[in-house]
C-alpha cells in the first residue's frame, strides 16, 4: 500500500478503509494521522500474514504480486455476476486431511431429511461421530468420539488426537438417547507426526545398528531442518466436545 | 574429495489468465512479466551455455496452463503490445535521465533488454518461446516435465477419475507440444497424498518430487534420507527436496536474493515517477503497477536506496554461485561416507523466482552451471531420469502426506479464507463424472457443452485461487475466478441435463476458456 494511493481517497473513504481494517475510533483524526494509521495497519497485517509462511510460499507469493496497492483494488469478486448455490441440497459429509492433527469436514442435509430428523420424537442433537477402525480408544473409552453440531453449521475443523490413523466421519443425530447415522464420509488417513520422531532416539524404529548410524549428523540434521517446517501447531481453536450421553450405534 | 549429484529443477507455472473480453487487465501482467523477466532470460542463459559448449542437464517443468498461454495467438499478440509500451517507456526514460551518468546507463540497459527480448521472441522463436525449450530438450540440455492440468493441489481432491484426468490431460498436451512424453511429474506445491503415484504410473510417469519430510517420514524410513530417491511400491520414484540448499535461494532475508548489491524489487518507476508521466504504462484508472524498470539496489534495511550497479550485482551472483557449490561440496563430503553411492541433492524452485523476484537469478544459474561443468569430478548436475538410469536400484518405501507449504501439510490451501471452495469443487467433479458416464456418446452441441463443462471444472481446481485467497494478493480476482468457473460449470451441467443448451453462451465460453482444445469429456467417465 502506498501513501499516494491512500491520498487519492476522500476523508470519508479513508475512514471506511480504516474501519474495514478494524481501526477504531477514527472520528476526530485528521487526514495525516489517519493515513499513517491505515498504512501501518496494512503493513502489520501483511507482516502477520507472511510470518507463518514457509519459504516456498513466500517465494511463490511474489509471483502474484503486481501492485503495491492491490489491497484496495476496486475489483468485483463476482458475487453478483457469478452466483453459486450455498449448498447442493444433499445428505453428505466429506472429510479432508489438513495435517497430522486436523481434518476439515463439510456437510449438508437434504431439506426433507432435515425436517424429518428435527421432527423425530425426542430429537436431541445433530452430531458428527469421528470413528476409527483401528485399535484405539478415545477418552470416552470408545473407538469413536462425538461432536455435537447445530443445524446451521455446515463445516468444521476437527481435532484428531492421534496422528497416523484412519478415520471416517459420520453425520448423525440422537433422538430418545439413540444414535442414528445419516451418512458417512470417505475414509481419511492422517499423516504420522514428524515432530514425534524428533523426540525419539535415533534408529528407534529399526533394528540394525547400521541404520542408527546413518541417522546421525547430516541426515539427522536435514531431518530436523525439514521438521521445523512440519510441526503441526495450529491457530484454529479446538472445537470438540464429547457428547455426555451414551451413544448407541445403529 | 567425494563426488555427488545436483538436480536443479525449475517449475514454471502461471494460472490460465486469458480474457478476450477485457482489453487490459491486471492479472494478465503475471504472464507478461514472467516472459520478459524469467522465461526469456532463462532461455538466453541456456542458449549462451550451448553456444559456449558448456554441457548441462536441468529439469524444467512447464505447467499446461502456462504452455497453453505461451502458444495462444491472442496472448502472444497482447504480449507484444505490452512489450512495445514497455520499450516506449524505456525510450522515454533514456531521454528523461540523459546526462545523469549512472541512471542513464541503467535506462539504456532496460531499453536494450526489452529490445533484445522482442528480437529473440519474434525472430529466434517466431513468437513461440516454447520452441526454445523444445530445442534445448532435443539438444539434451533440458528434461521437460509436466504438472497437473490446471495446477490442482491434488491431496484435496477426492474424485479419482478427476485426479486421473488432471494427470492424463497434462501428459497429452505435453506430448503434443514437446513431441516427447514427459518422464516425470511436478506435484503442484509438492502436494502428495499416498496413492497419487498410482495415477502417475498409469500415465507412464517415472518420478515426482516431494518435500523432505514426505521422504523422511516414509515407511520404512529410507536409510539415505532425502539424498537418494525411493521407489513407491508401484515403482514410481520419489525425489525429496533438500531444505538446506533450498533455503539459501528462497529466503529473501537470509538467502542470496536479499544481498545489498542485488536489484531492489519494490523500487519501480511505476511507483516512483509522477502519475501523469507513467499513466500510459500502468493500469487503467491510475492504479500503479510494477513496470519492470527499477533503478535501485537492495542496499539494506533502509528507505535510502543507492543506485543499482549491474556489474557489481553480476559479480555477486557469481560469488553466490561459488558459495552455493562450495556448500554443496561440503554437504556431499559429510554425506558420502555414510552412503553406498554418491549423494544426490535435489533443488527445486519456482522458475519465476529467477529474474522476476531475484533479478540476477538467471545469471546465478548460469554461473552455477559453468562452475559445476568446470569441475565434474566433484559435482555432477543431472536430471532424475539420468540418476535412475545410473542407479536403477533404490529403496522401496511409502512416502508420507506432505507439501512444501506452511508447516508441511495442506493448511495453505485449506483454511478459513479458502475452505468454502471445496464443497463446490468436489460437487463439480462428481457431477462431471456423472454426466460423462450418462452421455457416453454425445454428439454436436451436447458434446461441446460436455467438453466445456470439463474445462470449467478443471479451471476451478487451480491451486492458485486458494493460494491467493490465503496469501492476500489480488484476492477478489481469485474469488471471482473460482465463482466464475463453478457458475459456468453449474449452468452447463443444468443445460446438459435438461437438454436446453444455449449455443450462444456456450460459444462465448469456448472462445474465452480455450484450454485443452482437444479435450474429450469421456476422459472423465473413468
Amino acid at each position: 500500500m502506498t501513501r499516494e494511493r491512500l491520498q487519492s481517497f476522500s476523508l470519508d473513504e479513508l475512514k471506511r478503509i480504516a474501519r474495514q481494517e478494524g481501526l477504531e475510533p477514527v472520528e476526530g483524526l485528521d487526514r495525516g494521522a489517519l493515513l499513517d494509521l491505515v498504512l501501518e495497519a496494512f503493513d502489520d497485517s501483511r507482516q502477520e500474514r507472511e510470518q507463518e509462511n514457509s519459504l516456498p510460499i513466500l517465494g511463490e507469493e511474489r509471483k502474484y504480486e503486481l501492485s503495491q496497492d492491490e489491497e484496495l483494488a476496486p475489483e468485483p469478486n463476482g458475487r453478483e455476476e457469478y452466483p453459486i448455490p450455498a449448498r447442493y441440497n444433499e445428505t453428505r459429509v466429506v472429510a479432508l486431511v489438513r495435517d497430522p492433527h486436523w481434518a476439515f469436514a463439510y456437510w449438508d442435509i437434504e431439506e426433507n431429511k432435515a425436517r424429518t430428523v428435527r421432527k423425530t420424537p425426542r430429537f436431541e442433537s445433530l452430531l458428527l461421530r469421528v470413528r476409527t477402525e483401528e485399535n484405539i480408544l478415545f477418552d470416552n473409552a470408545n473407538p469413536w468420539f462425538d461432536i455435537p453440531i447445530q443445524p446451521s453449521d455446515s463445516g468444521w475443523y476437527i481435532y484428531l488426537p492421534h496422528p497416523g490413523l484412519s478415520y471416517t466421519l459420520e453425520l448423525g443425530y440422537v433422538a430418545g438417547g439413540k444414535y442414528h447415522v445419516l451418512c458417512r464420509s470417505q475414509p481419511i488417513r492422517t499423516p504420522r507426526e514428524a515432530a514425534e520422531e524428533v523426540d525419539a532416539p535415533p534408529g528407534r524404529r529399526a533394528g540394525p545398528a547400521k541404520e542408527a548410524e546413518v541417522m546421525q549428523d547430516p541426515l539427522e540434521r536435514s531431518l530436523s531442518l525439514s521438521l521445523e517446517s512440519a510441526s503441526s501447531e495450529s491457530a484454529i481453536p479446538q472445537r470438540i466436545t464429547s457428547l455426555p450421553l451414551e451413544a448407541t450405534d445403529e | 574429495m567425494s563426488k555427488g549429484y545436483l538436480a536443479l529443477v525449475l517449475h514454471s507455472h502461471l494460472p490460465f489468465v486469458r480474457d478476450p473480453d477485457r482489453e487490459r487487465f491486471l492479472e494478465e501482467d503475471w504472464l507478461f512479466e514472467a516472459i520478459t523477466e524469467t522465461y526469456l532470460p532463462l532461455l538466453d542463459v541456456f542458449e549462451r551455455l550451448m553456444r559456449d559448449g558448456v554441457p548441462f542437464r536441468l529439469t524444467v517443468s512447464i505447467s499446461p496452463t502456462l504452455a497453453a498461454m505461451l502458444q495462444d495467438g491472442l496472448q502472444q499478440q497482447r504480449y507484444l503490445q505490452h512489450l512495445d509500451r514497455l520499450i516506449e517507456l524505456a525510450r522515454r526514460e533514456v531521454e528523461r535521465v540523459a546526462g545523469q551518468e549512472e541512471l542513464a546507463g541503467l535506462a539504456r540497459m532496460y531499453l536494450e533488454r526489452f529490445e533484445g527480448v522482442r528480437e529473440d521472441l519474434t525472430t529466434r522463436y517466431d513468437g513461440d518461446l516454447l520452441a526454445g525449450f523444445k530445442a534445448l530438450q532435443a539438444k539434451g540440455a533440458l528434461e521437460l516435465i509436466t504438472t497437473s492440468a490446471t495446477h490442482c493441489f491434488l491431496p484435496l481432491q477426492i474424485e479419482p477419475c478427476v485426479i486421473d484426468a488432471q494427470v492424463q490431460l497434462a501428459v497429452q498436451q505435453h506430448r503434443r507440444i514437446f513431441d516427447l512424453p514427459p518422464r516425470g511429474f511436478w506435484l503442484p506445491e509438492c502436494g502428495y497424498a499416498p496413492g497419487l503415484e498410482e495415477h502417475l504410473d498409469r500415465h507412464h510417469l517415472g518420478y515426482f518430487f516431494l518435500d523432505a519430510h514426505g521422504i523422511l517420514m516414509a515407511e520404512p524410513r529410507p536409510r539415505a534420507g532425502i539424498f537418494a530417491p525411493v521407489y513407491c511400491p508401484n515403482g514410481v520414484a520419489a525425489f525429496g527436496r533438500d531444505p538446506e540448499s533450498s533455503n539459501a535461494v528462497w529466503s529473501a532475508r537470509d538467502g542470496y536474493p536479499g544481498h545489498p548489491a542485488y536489484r531492489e524489487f519494490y523500487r519501480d518507476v511505476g511507483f516512483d515517477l509522477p502519475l501523469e508521466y507513467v499513466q500510459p504504462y500502468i493500469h487503467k484508472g491510475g492504479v500503479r503497477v510494477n513496470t519492470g524498470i527499477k533503478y535501485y539496489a537492495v542496499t539494506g534495511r533502509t528507505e535510502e536506496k543507492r543506485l543499482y550497479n549491474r556489474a557489481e550485482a553480476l559479480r555477486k551472483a557469481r560469488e553466490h554461485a561459488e558459495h552455493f557449490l562450495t556448500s554443496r561440496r561440503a554437504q556431499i563430503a559429510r554425506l558420502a561416507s555414510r552412503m553406498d553411492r554418491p549423494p544426490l541433492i535435489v533443488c527445486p524452485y519456482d522458475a519465476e523466482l529467477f529474474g522476476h523476484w531475484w533479478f540476477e537469478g538467471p545469471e546465478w544459474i548460469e554461473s552455477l552451471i559453468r562452475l559445476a561443468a568446470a569441475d565434474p569430478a566433484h559435482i555432477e548436475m543431472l536430471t532424475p531420469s539420468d540418476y535412475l538410469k545410473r542407479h536403477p536400484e533404490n529403496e522401496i518405501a511409502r512416502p508420507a502426506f506432505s507439501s512444501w507449504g506452511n508447516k508441511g501439510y495442506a493448511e495453505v490451501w485449506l483454511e478459513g479464507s479458502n475452505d468454502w471452495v471445496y464443497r463446490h469443487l468436489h460437487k463439480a467433479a462428481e457431477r462431471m463424472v456423472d454426466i460423462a458416464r450418462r452421455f457416453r456418446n454425445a454428439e454436436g452441441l451436447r458434446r461441446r457443452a460436455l467438453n466445456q463443462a470439463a474445462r470449467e471444472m478443471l479451471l476451478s481446481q487451480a491451486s492458485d485461487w486458494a493460494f491467493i485467497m490465503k496469501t492476500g494478493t489480488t484476492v477478489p480476482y481469485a474469488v471471482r475466478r473460482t465463482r466464475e468457473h463453478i457458475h459456468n460449470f453449474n449452468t452447463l451441467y443444468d443445460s446438459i441435463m435438461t437438454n436446453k443448451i444455449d449455443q450462444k453462451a456456450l460459444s462465448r465460453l469456448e472462445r474465452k476458456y480455450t484450454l485443452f482444445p482437444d479435450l474429450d469429456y469421456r476422459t472423465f467417465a473413468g
Side-chain angles (χ1 to χ4, degrees):
Chain A
M1 177 54 48
T2 54
R3 177 170 282 270
E4 177 197 59
R5 174 85 174 138
L6 284 179
Q7 296 274 22
S8 70
F9 291 96
S10 72
L11 190 61
D12 281 347
E13 282 170 326
L14 276 177
K15 284 180 182 164
R16 183 185 54 79
I17 293 166
R19 280 193 211 98
Q20 240 170 23
E21 288 299 299
L23 302 171
E24 293 279 3
V26 293
E27 295 305 328
L29 288 178
D30 69 20
R31 206 179 157 75
L34 201 54
L35 277 174
D36 289 341
L37 210 60
V38 171
L39 270 174
E40 202 180 312
F42 274 121
D43 206 36
D44 285 353
S45 73
R46 183 183 196 88
Q47 277 181 15
E48 197 180 311
R49 256 196 338 253
E50 293 193 343
Q51 210 167 28
E52 60 190 22
N53 289 352
S54 67
L55 289 174
I57 298 303
L58 279 173
E60 218 172 324
E61 201 183 339
R62 308 279 174 248
K63 189 164 85 177
Y64 303 107
E65 224 165 79
L66 291 165
S67 168
Q68 296 162 34
D69 289 332
E70 62 207 13
E71 289 96 335
L72 295 179
E75 285 277 313
N77 68 8
R79 194 165 288 275
E80 288 80 32
E81 202 180 346
Y82 303 112
I84 57 175
R87 44 188 283 267
Y88 293 89
N89 196 27
E90 56 182 348
T91 304
R92 180 187 204 191
V93 56
V94 173
L96 296 172
V97 175
R98 201 189 72 145
D99 59 47
H101 277 294
W102 291 90
F104 174 68
Y106 69 83
W107 60 86
D108 189 11
I109 304 174
E110 200 196 332
E111 259 160 52
N112 287 334
K113 189 106 182 171
R115 214 170 304 134
T116 319
V117 166
R118 276 197 305 274
K119 284 185 184 154
T120 315
R122 294 197 291 144
F123 169 77
E124 291 162 41
S125 155
L126 285 170
L127 59 82
L128 272 184
R129 174 159 290 189
V130 183
R131 195 182 267 290
T132 175
E133 298 302 321
E134 294 177 54
N135 202 12
I136 289 268
L137 298 181
F138 296 100
D139 288 348
N140 61 4
N142 287 315
W144 73 78
F145 62 87
D146 293 336
I147 304 171
I149 52 175
Q150 299 301 316
S152 56
D153 295 337
S154 61
W156 270 13
Y157 289 87
I158 296 166
Y159 181 78
L160 302 168
H162 304 284
L165 214 59
S166 294
Y167 296 91
T168 312
L169 300 190
E170 286 173 2
L171 182 60
Y173 64 98
V174 178
K178 211 162 173 265
Y179 171 66
H180 306 262
V181 183
L182 288 166
C183 57
R184 288 187 179 85
S185 76
Q186 86 289 11
I188 54 167
R189 189 172 184 88
T190 53
R192 287 188 299 139
E193 191 164 30
E196 80 189 316
E197 300 288 313
V198 174
D199 302 332
R204 179 195 54 144
R205 336 191 112 240
K210 205 174 153 205
E211 181 160 337
E213 277 164 40
V214 175
M215 281 312 300
Q216 300 301 319
D217 191 31
L219 296 180
E220 186 82 331
R221 214 159 70 80
S222 84
L223 174 67
S224 49
L225 244 179
S226 80
L227 295 179
E228 279 169 24
S229 65
S231 75
S232 59
E233 287 165 45
S234 178
I236 298 174
Q238 180 171 340
R239 288 190 75 184
I240 153 177
T241 23
S242 272
L243 207 62
L245 63 97
E246 187 174 324
T248 45
D249 199 4
E250 274 194 341
Chain B
M1 223 174 167
S2 29
K3 182 180 168 160
Y5 303 118
L6 182 68
L8 195 63
V9 183
L10 299 179
H11 171 55
S12 5
H13 162 68
L14 284 170
F16 197 67
V17 280
R18 178 188 186 276
D19 191 344
D21 302 334
R22 289 207 285 168
E23 193 63 34
R24 271 168 75 180
F25 63 103
L26 210 52
E27 290 74 16
E28 211 170 29
D29 285 359
W30 288 334
L31 177 68
F32 299 163
E33 285 182 5
I35 294 175
T36 313
E37 297 177 346
T38 297
Y39 309 140
L40 278 165
L42 281 176
L43 279 174
D44 206 35
V45 161
F46 300 150
E47 297 286 355
R48 215 155 40 227
L49 290 164
M50 294 300 284
R51 248 192 337 265
D52 294 349
V54 180
F56 66 99
R57 289 287 283 158
L58 219 68
T59 309
V60 175
S61 124
I62 300 176
S63 79
T65 47
L66 173 61
M69 291 192 292
L70 291 174
Q71 288 209 319
D72 179 77
L74 174 73
Q75 281 177 302
Q76 288 174 351
Q77 184 197 334
R78 284 188 177 186
Y79 172 69
L80 285 180
Q81 289 165 356
H82 166 89
L83 189 59
D84 286 340
R85 281 194 299 271
L86 202 52
I87 290 172
E88 186 186 291
L89 173 62
R91 285 211 180 100
R92 287 183 64 188
E93 278 299 279
V94 170
E95 285 169 26
R96 186 181 69 84
V97 300
Q100 305 174 52
E101 200 183 328
E102 277 179 278
L103 263 182
L106 286 170
R108 272 198 310 277
M109 174 188 86
Y110 284 112
L111 180 58
E112 280 163 23
R113 269 181 89 89
F114 300 150
E115 284 175 341
V117 161
R118 201 180 204 293
E119 172 71 16
D120 277 357
L121 187 61
T122 50
T123 56
R124 193 191 280 176
Y125 303 120
D126 201 16
D128 173 16
L129 61 84
L130 291 182
F133 285 99
K134 192 166 138 184
L136 286 158
Q137 173 178 253
K139 288 175 187 157
L142 300 185
E143 177 160 325
L144 300 178
I145 62 169
T146 191
T147 180
S148 73
T150 52
H151 212 260
C152 170
F153 185 75
L154 299 170
L156 295 177
Q157 292 304 322
I158 55 174
E159 184 57 68
C161 291
V162 171
I163 296 173
D164 204 70
Q166 278 278 359
V167 178
Q168 184 182 338
L169 290 168
V171 170
Q172 273 171 5
Q173 182 190 288
H174 187 94
R175 215 185 167 124
R176 181 170 56 76
I177 294 178
F178 299 109
D179 291 341
L180 290 172
R183 291 190 184 148
F185 194 81
W186 176 263
L187 290 174
E189 315 289 0
C190 288
Y192 173 78
L196 283 176
E197 66 272 16
E198 300 302 331
H199 299 286
L200 304 189
D201 188 40
R202 195 166 304 138
H203 300 289
H204 313 291
L205 293 155
Y207 64 87
F208 62 95
F209 303 93
L210 72 179
D211 209 350
H213 54 294
I215 294 279
L216 295 168
M217 297 297 293
E219 289 185 71
R221 187 189 271 176
R223 291 181 176 212
I226 52 172
F227 303 109
V230 300
Y231 286 127
C232 300
N234 71 351
V236 177
F239 288 81
R241 183 174 82 99
D242 174 45
E244 187 180 324
S245 53
S246 296
N247 294 356
V249 175
W250 278 120
S251 174
R253 205 187 56 196
D254 313 314
Y256 307 132
H259 190 275
Y262 289 144
R263 193 185 75 166
E264 167 65 47
F265 180 76
Y266 290 107
R267 288 295 300 274
D268 191 289
V269 300
F271 288 90
D272 282 353
L273 295 180
L275 204 52
E276 52 282 11
Y277 176 82
V278 292
Q279 191 90 50
Y281 315 104
I282 59 174
H283 200 56
K284 60 176 184 288
V287 176
R288 288 181 181 270
V289 290
N290 299 324
T291 63
I293 300 182
K294 304 169 202 273
Y295 293 131
Y296 295 92
V298 172
T299 314
R301 286 169 188 272
T302 165
E303 290 301 305
E304 299 298 310
K305 304 286 181 193
R306 53 183 175 72
L307 282 178
Y308 178 62
N309 180 324
R310 180 68 174 161
E312 191 194 333
L314 290 183
R315 259 198 312 279
K316 201 35 86 177
R318 198 190 140 85
E319 267 174 51
H320 281 158
E322 260 170 31
H323 177 266
F324 185 85
L325 272 185
T326 310
S327 312
R328 298 294 73 75
R329 275 194 211 116
Q331 197 179 4
I332 286 164
R334 286 198 309 270
L335 295 162
S337 63
R338 301 161 195 275
M339 291 180 61
D340 64 353
R341 59 177 82 177
L344 164 71
I345 298 171
V346 180
C347 306
Y349 306 106
D350 271 351
E352 294 79 12
L353 173 80
F354 299 92
H356 176 58
W357 167 248
W358 182 14
F359 188 50
E360 299 77 10
E363 285 78 13
W364 177 83
I365 292 179
E366 180 175 355
S367 295
L368 184 66
I369 291 173
R370 284 183 192 274
L371 290 166
D375 183 18
H378 291 135
I379 292 193
E380 185 182 349
M381 291 181 75
L382 46 57
T383 69
S385 296
D386 300 337
Y387 182 95
L388 292 172
K389 213 177 283 167
R390 203 112 24 117
H391 302 283
E393 285 191 13
N394 292 289
E395 286 179 75
I396 296 172
R398 291 170 206 282
F401 185 102
S402 50
S403 86
W404 73 7
N406 308 346
K407 295 172 195 154
Y409 302 101
E411 71 164 55
V412 169
W413 304 273
L414 184 61
E415 57 118 45
S417 66
N418 53 31
D419 53 24
W420 61 273
V421 307
Y422 296 99
R423 181 185 300 272
H424 304 289
L425 302 192
H426 294 163
K427 192 67 195 169
E430 177 196 289
R431 284 177 163 177
M432 188 65 230
V433 172
D434 176 46
I435 49 179
R437 287 178 181 159
R438 198 182 288 243
F439 304 103
R440 277 180 194 270
N441 302 302
E443 292 296 338
L445 204 55
R446 182 178 264 158
R447 183 196 196 113
R448 279 171 51 198
L450 281 156
N451 287 339
Q452 191 60 29
R455 286 184 197 105
E456 301 290 339
M457 181 217 54
L458 291 165
L459 285 164
S460 73
Q461 292 179 343
S463 68
D464 310 80
W465 312 142
F467 182 96
I468 292 169
M469 289 175 209
K470 147 82 184 155
T471 53
T473 52
T474 63
V475 176
Y477 181 75
V479 173
R480 193 173 75 239
R481 283 294 299 271
T482 304
R483 297 184 69 97
E484 178 180 5
H485 296 302
I486 293 295
H487 172 84
N488 291 347
F489 176 85
N490 285 344
T491 309
L492 286 165
Y493 172 82
D494 290 341
S495 74
I496 290 163
M497 293 295 277
T498 54
N499 204 14
K500 286 181 188 153
I501 296 162
D502 179 343
Q503 184 166 359
K504 257 172 87 181
L506 174 60
S507 301
R508 205 162 49 234
L509 291 181
E510 287 171 332
R511 271 200 308 276
K512 187 168 180 183
Y513 293 115
T514 50
L515 194 64
F516 305 122
D518 309 328
L519 180 147
D520 181 345
Y521 73 92
R522 284 171 298 189
T523 304
F524 294 86

